[in-house]
Each structure stands twice: as structure tokens, then as C-alpha cells.
Amino acid sequence: MNMTSQFHSTRSKILMIIVISSVLISIVVFQQKFNDIPISHMTRDITAIAEVPFYTGFLSQLGIFFWVATATLCFFSSKFSSNNIAQTKLKKFLFYAGLLTVLLCIDDIFLLHETVFPKYFGVPQKLVILIYGFLFISLLVKFYTVILKTNFILLGMALFFFGLSVFFDLFPIPGVNPYLLDDGAKIIGIISWFFYFYSNAVSLAKTPKKA
């Protein structure tokens, strides 16, 4: 494929790259100009800015990788073609699960329920957690017939440890390191969440495509 053909076939993607990149860079410039936030604080690595050891946030950073990997699996798998009604419902489930995963990933990165909503919007942390719980329940109720046909024990593990993490976050156990319990339970939940959707993605990939 020559350069001209490549340009015509990818021009929409090139435009999308330019638009998304421009928006992100514009946000950085806007924050510096109107809120006096140093550009370096929005572009450099957190450990470099805070001047903390490279291993700072080790478990949290790994959790982000699993969130992103899960969201990618969900969105990519939801695009698989299939003439099977059950598989079509599974793809919808994966798409909505991908959206929820992105939300949880953003929350993890920017501490939405812990800092952003309570401090900047006046929304109590417990209310935000309740909203997340409602989203989880809505997903389970809407797609319970699909979920029952999958390896749902992994999903059950994920939900159990997410719930355990929230419990330890809201009700710390005296004499026990709260971060180990809270973040330890959360990372188990995140990894379980990843492997549950990985198994579904593999299942869809093995489904015969339309003729």
C-alpha cells in the first residue's frame, strides 16, 4: 500500500489523534494559565514531581495496568462478529462492563471517591461508593442471564474482594495496617475482575464468525 492509499485509509484516525492530543494539551495549558498550575505538574511522572522512591504506589500502579487491560479486553471483544444471539448479549455485557471498568480506573488514578468528589464537589465519599455499588448491581441485574452462563466464580471473587476493600476502607480494624487490608483486597479483586473478562474474551474469540 502506497503512502497516498495509506493516508486516505487512515485520515479519520489521524484526525482523531490530532483532536484528542490537542484537547489534552489544551487542558494542560488552560490549567497553567487560569489556575496557575505548573505545566510540569500535569505532564511529568508523579514520583518525579513528589521526589519519592520509584517503588512508591507499586501495588496501585499495577492495579491500573489490570484495569486498563480489562477495559481493552471488554471493548475489543465486544466488536467480535457473531450470528449467535447468546454471544450478542455477551458482547453487550462486555461493552457495559468496559465502561464501568474505565470509570473505576479513572477513580483509582485520580482518587475520585476519596478526594475529588468530597473536596471539590461536596459529594460525600460514602455516597460515591453507593453510586458505584448501584452501577455494579445494575450491571448484574441487566445481564444476570448472561453472567450465569460464564465462569462467574471469578466475577464472584472480584465482587467479594471489592466489597471487602470498601469495608476495610470505611471500617478500619484497630491494630492492623489499614492499607494492607484495603489495598490488598482491592488488588485481588482487580486481578479477579481481569481474569473473569479475559475468560469471556477467549470464549468469544473461539466463537465461529459469520460466514
Side-chain angles (χ1 to χ4, degrees):
M1 184 181 293
N2 57 43
M3 291 291 291
T4 302
S5 299
Q6 285 189 45
F7 177 77
H8 284 295
S9 63
T10 60
R11 57 186 176 184
S12 61
K13 296 180 180 62
I14 293 174
L15 178 61
M16 187 178 298
I17 291 170
I18 294 173
V19 170
I20 293 174
S21 301
S22 298
V23 169
L24 294 177
I25 294 173
S26 297
I27 291 173
V28 172
V29 174
F30 178 89
Q31 292 295 334
Q32 191 277 328
K33 184 175 180 61
F34 295 99
N35 294 319
D36 200 28
I37 297 176
I39 288 179
S40 62
H41 282 195
M42 298 191 67
T43 59
R44 297 175 65 207
D45 185 82
I46 294 176
T47 55
I49 296 171
E51 297 183 347
V52 292
F54 69 92
Y55 51 78
T56 302
F58 167 75
L59 209 58
S60 178
Q61 297 281 43
L62 289 181
I64 299 301
F65 293 156
F66 279 102
W67 282 132
V68 173
T70 304
T72 302
L73 279 172
C74 288
F75 289 134
F76 182 73
S77 300
S78 69
K79 295 298 181 181
F80 284 141
S81 61
S82 174
N83 55 0
N84 185 306
I85 296 178
Q87 297 297 330
T88 300
K89 291 181 179 179
L90 176 58
K91 290 194 297 180
K92 289 182 179 179
F93 168 56
L94 291 173
F95 177 77
Y96 285 112
L99 292 178
L100 179 57
T101 302
V102 169
L103 173 61
L104 296 173
C105 182
I106 293 174
D107 180 279
D108 224 2
I109 295 173
F110 298 109
L111 305 177
L112 297 186
H113 78 278
E114 294 173 305
T115 303
V116 176
F117 284 116
K119 182 176 180 179
Y120 296 97
F121 298 98
V123 181
Q125 178 181 353
K126 291 182 180 180
L127 178 58
V128 179
I129 292 175
L130 283 175
I131 292 173
Y132 289 169
F134 172 77
L135 293 176
F136 270 109
I137 293 172
S138 297
L139 185 71
L140 295 177
V141 171
K142 182 176 178 63
F143 294 103
Y144 77 94
T145 56
V146 175
I147 293 171
L148 291 176
K149 297 177 182 177
T150 65
N151 296 322
F152 58 84
I153 188 172
L154 296 176
L155 179 60
M157 282 182 60
L159 296 177
F160 172 77
F161 283 103
F162 285 152
L164 203 58
S165 175
V166 171
F167 176 82
F168 288 139
D169 186 26
L170 298 177
F171 308 101
I173 298 178
V176 181
N177 190 308
Y179 299 109
L180 181 61
L181 293 178
D182 177 5
D183 296 324
K186 185 172 74 172
I187 194 65
I188 296 174
I190 295 173
I191 295 174
S192 301
W193 186 257
F194 166 77
F195 276 104
Y196 171 68
F197 288 105
Y198 171 79
S199 66
N200 286 314
V202 170
S203 174
L204 267 177
K206 292 180 178 179
T207 302
K209 297 182 179 180
K210 293 180 180 179

